[in-house]
Amino acid sequence: MSTNESSNAREAAESNEPAPAPRLQPISLTPPLEPSYRVEPAIDDDEPQQARIGTVVWGLIVIALAALLAISTLGWVVLDGTYVLIGLMIGAGAALVIGGVLAARKSAGKTKSPAR
């Protein structure tokens, strides 16, 4: 240690001034996020919007289960749960397959827009 450095150290020790506090920088914990939505172009009002086949089928399944549960609770019919589930699965599978085939036949004639 040189004499100049030792005198500076002595002066700093003798002064009663507190050492300057280090400046803290904020650190972001998450990266900047981009919007999770995309604005779609306006849709022509001439062309009606159609529900998805899966949505319709699952809605029908829920309605059928509710109806069967109500009928079973009223005591009009005694239902076996296994047979009910097998019947619902067969019906839902058939509805999804038939709906998919019909949608494919309907969209076969339309021109497809480029991928975005």
Side-chain angles (χ1 to χ4, degrees):
M1 201 172 190
S2 69
T3 56
N4 192 14
E5 290 176 9
S6 63
S7 64
N8 287 340
R10 242 183 276 126
E11 288 175 10
E14 290 174 1
S15 70
N16 291 334
E17 295 177 20
R23 185 173 167 181
L24 301 176
Q25 297 289 334
I27 299 173
S28 64
L29 299 177
T30 59
L33 301 175
E34 295 181 18
S36 61
Y37 59 89
R38 183 174 62 178
V39 177
E40 296 292 330
I43 300 172
D44 294 338
D45 290 335
D46 299 338
E47 188 175 326
Q49 295 294 312
Q50 297 194 0
R52 293 180 141 175
I53 297 167
T55 304
V56 173
V57 170
W58 283 110
L60 291 173
I61 290 173
V62 170
I63 290 172
L65 280 174
L68 290 173
L69 185 64
I71 290 171
S72 176
T73 303
L74 292 173
W76 295 344
V77 178
V78 178
L79 298 173
D80 183 13
T82 304
Y83 293 133
V84 169
L85 286 177
I86 290 172
L88 283 174
M89 287 295 136
I90 290 172
L96 285 170
V97 169
I98 292 169
V101 168
L102 292 176
R105 289 178 76 194
K106 184 177 179 180
S107 67
K110 292 183 180 180
T111 58
K112 295 189 179 195
S113 62
R116 295 178 191 171

